[in-house]
Amino acid sequence: MDEDESKIERLSRLEVPFFEPGLPEIVGRNVHEGRLRFSRDLPKAVKGSKVVFITVGTPPLRDGSADTRAIFAVARVVAQQLDGYTLVVQKSTAPVGTARAVWRTMKRWARRSSQFDVASNPEFLREGAAIETFMHPDRIVIGAETARAAEILKSIHDPLFLNETPMVVTTLETAELIKYAANSFLATKISFINEIANLCEAVDADVQVVAKAIGMDRRIGPKFLHAGPGYGGSCFPKDTMALASFARAAGLRTRVVEATIAANEHQEQRMVGKIIQAIGAPRGKRVGILGLAFKPDTDDLREAPSLKIIAGLRRKGVKVIAFDPVAMPGARELPTLRGVAFGDDAYEAARGADALAIVTEWNEFRNMNLRRLRKLMRKPVLCDLRNIYDPAEVEAAGLRYVGVGRGRPRGSRRSTRSSG
Ligand code: UGA
């Protein structure tokens, strides 16, 4: 159920309103087999349901805290519709204490005779890999305070236990905090490796090798150690800010998470500096931007590093021509991108450019014809902000290579051989 009429209309025509690989097929199959329907009618959706999942948006407010109003608006209507025992599962990412507050709201609006429980069941899906991360989760977290609620949630996830998915059953507050702690830790890993990348540039070391080697330590692990333009998306930026915000409200500062946020903002601006350095005096220069979505396999532009990088370049008088395989329809609608030109492919974005910057590591950017790019560009410079190319290969094709944390630019390296 969603109150957005156009979303429901599109879903009813089996059109998924965002890009997620494999999802249209699953939606289609389940609709055809009678397991899935779409509606704008909340009371109707709730009536007769044994379990109700609340999965609304919790966008950040100006002060960084999460806006949870939609959760409580839904909880109230759900409470008024209760009919027999119902389990209400608060799945939206919301500050610690929200599930308990939902219970209180429902208690206020429900009939005296209504029977219900509220549980927390945070989700750990990754956009672009939503189906895979749903079907093969690392763990399921259930915050439930009655055996009945815990049992229902367990049985819903039963098929996944065939894969022996571990399950953590805990209190509402602990479950809610697990979600924020997981995202904040992952964001911290990224800010950490980005900082090491910047240090690599200063001392002529290679972050790719550093990340690989530290990742071999099983206590550290190899994942989420890719240096780049900073993390974006609808989760990490919002959830780190919300954690810092509800920690402050609890009288505590989370200094590591605050530093993660600051380092991420710095990283995006550093990328602007990197590109400007590559093109020289910026006014009137032209930069091609490859990739707008915050990561590959999604059309999501929320908090995408590309947007901050483009804004930073344009402030310096740089002309931008961008290309993204799926995010361009959404990008064309964004007021902040008004005046940005869009190309039909990577080569069009490169035509006449003084530098080409890879901002999102879409697969199709991994195997470009470098010689063709070189011929199209005014100045052949590839700013590989995702480190997807081998610098030697790019330079062999006649382009200058600029990566993230891959040592000093060629020519300025110190030699270990003595000159005498
Ligand atoms: C993230 C978490 O990974 C999910 O577990 C969580 O469920 C989800 O948020 C959520 O809270 O809903 P998602 O935002 O879809 O998932 O994307 P990620 O793959 O985590 O990437 C986030 C950002 O970090 C992207 O901008 C990506 O480019 C960046 N990143 C990721 C790096 O810069 N380096 C890395 O090594 C990994």
Side-chain angles (χ1 to χ4, degrees):
M1 178 275 154
D2 199 295
E3 60 181 13
D4 182 335
E5 192 173 348
S6 78
K7 229 181 234 178
I8 293 302
E9 264 175 18
R10 291 183 65 183
L11 282 164
S12 304
R13 291 196 302 267
L14 301 186
E15 247 178 69
V16 176
F18 49 83
F19 181 84
E20 181 64 47
L23 195 57
E25 292 77 3
I26 289 198
V27 167
R29 193 170 72 230
N30 283 286
V31 168
H32 285 308
E33 292 173 13
R35 285 186 293 266
L36 179 60
R37 277 176 295 144
F38 302 101
S39 163
R40 280 186 62 214
D41 188 339
L42 178 54
K44 204 168 122 198
V46 172
K47 264 222 162 356
S49 288
K50 187 172 177 189
V51 187
V52 174
F53 285 86
I54 303 181
T55 58
V56 297
T58 50
L61 291 168
R62 264 174 189 282
D63 64 356
S65 64
D67 181 352
T68 57
R69 281 174 297 186
I71 297 178
F72 293 99
V74 170
R76 176 176 164 177
V77 181
V78 172
Q80 290 164 331
Q81 299 302 321
L82 290 183
D83 161 18
Y85 173 84
T86 309
L87 173 61
V88 176
V89 186
Q90 206 305 94
K91 205 171 181 63
S92 323
T93 300
V96 177
T98 302
R100 203 168 295 281
V102 164
W103 185 86
R104 285 196 297 270
T105 300
M106 292 192 57
K107 202 77 198 153
R108 196 165 132 221
W109 294 101
R111 275 188 300 269
R112 242 168 222 279
S113 59
S114 303
Q115 266 194 308
F116 67 92
D117 279 313
V118 174
S120 163
N121 177 216
E123 63 90 17
F124 301 99
L125 301 187
R126 291 179 59 209
E127 284 183 32
I131 294 166
E132 166 66 18
T133 40
F134 178 81
M135 298 294 189
H136 302 279
D138 287 333
R139 76 314 207 176
I140 304 283
V141 174
I142 295 176
E145 293 182 347
T146 68
R148 190 176 191 180
E151 277 315 310
I152 292 174
L153 270 173
K154 276 193 224 169
S155 72
I156 285 179
H157 291 99
D158 251 357
L160 302 175
F161 298 132
L162 298 176
N163 315 328
E164 296 189 7
T165 301
M167 187 166 53
V168 178
V169 182
T170 181
T171 63
L172 298 177
E173 284 75 11
T174 306
E176 290 171 319
L177 188 54
I178 289 169
K179 168 72 189 183
Y180 282 97
N183 274 2
S184 298
F185 186 80
L186 292 169
T188 301
K189 255 186 131 174
I190 298 169
S191 274
F192 177 81
I193 202 65
N194 284 340
E195 205 154 74
I196 296 295
N198 301 342
L199 183 56
C200 284
E201 288 172 7
V203 301
D204 206 7
D206 186 344
V207 73
Q208 297 289 103
V209 183
V210 174
K212 192 169 171 199
I214 64 173
M216 286 169 180
D217 184 326
R218 268 173 299 192
R219 293 168 302 173
I220 296 173
K223 303 225 170 113
F224 277 65
L225 286 179
H226 296 289
Y231 58 77
S234 66
C235 306
F236 289 174
K238 161 173 92 74
D239 293 349
T240 45
M241 283 201 307
L243 181 134
S245 160
F246 68 70
R248 273 173 193 274
L252 203 87
R253 281 194 61 191
T254 44
R255 292 183 173 79
V256 173
V257 176
E258 285 179 20
T260 292
I261 298 167
N264 198 57
E265 285 162 5
H266 171 82
Q267 193 69 5
E268 289 165 337
Q269 291 319 311
R270 196 175 156 98
M271 296 303 112
V272 176
K274 207 181 243 313
I275 297 169
I276 301 274
Q277 207 180 12
I279 60 177
R283 194 148 291 280
K285 294 273 171 62
R286 203 179 159 94
V287 169
I289 295 285
L290 298 186
L292 294 165
F294 82 97
K295 66 172 194 178
D297 291 329
T298 175
D299 58 355
D300 200 335
L301 290 159
R302 285 175 290 178
E303 302 294 325
S306 64
L307 304 182
K308 312 251 176 63
I309 294 170
I310 290 173
L313 290 172
R314 293 173 85 200
R315 267 197 302 274
K316 302 266 183 202
V318 173
K319 289 203 195 83
V320 169
I321 168 155
F323 169 71
D324 187 287
V326 304
M328 286 204 301
R332 285 182 207 274
E333 304 290 310
L334 284 185
T336 49
L337 292 186
R338 207 166 286 143
V340 168
F342 295 97
D344 284 338
D345 61 20
Y347 300 98
E348 246 187 61
R351 196 182 296 279
D354 296 278
L356 187 63
I358 301 173
V359 184
T360 315
E361 68 280 32
W362 284 97
N363 262 342
E364 66 177 77
F365 300 149
R366 290 178 186 269
N367 219 352
M368 295 186 290
N369 182 335
L370 296 173
R371 286 177 206 282
R372 183 171 163 210
L373 285 180
R374 190 200 66 212
K375 284 195 196 124
L376 286 169
M377 294 173 73
R378 186 155 71 184
K379 246 179 84 188
V381 183
L382 184 66
C383 296
D384 176 11
L385 304 186
R386 297 286 183 171
N387 290 349
I388 57 179
Y389 275 91
D390 171 2
E393 186 198 346
V394 174
E395 288 180 357
L399 290 106
R400 206 178 120 209
Y401 181 85
V402 179
V404 178
R406 306 185 93 173
R408 293 210 185 96
R410 256 179 94 175
S412 65
R413 266 176 213 278
R414 258 170 302 163
S415 170
T416 47
R417 268 174 288 170
S418 84
S419 54

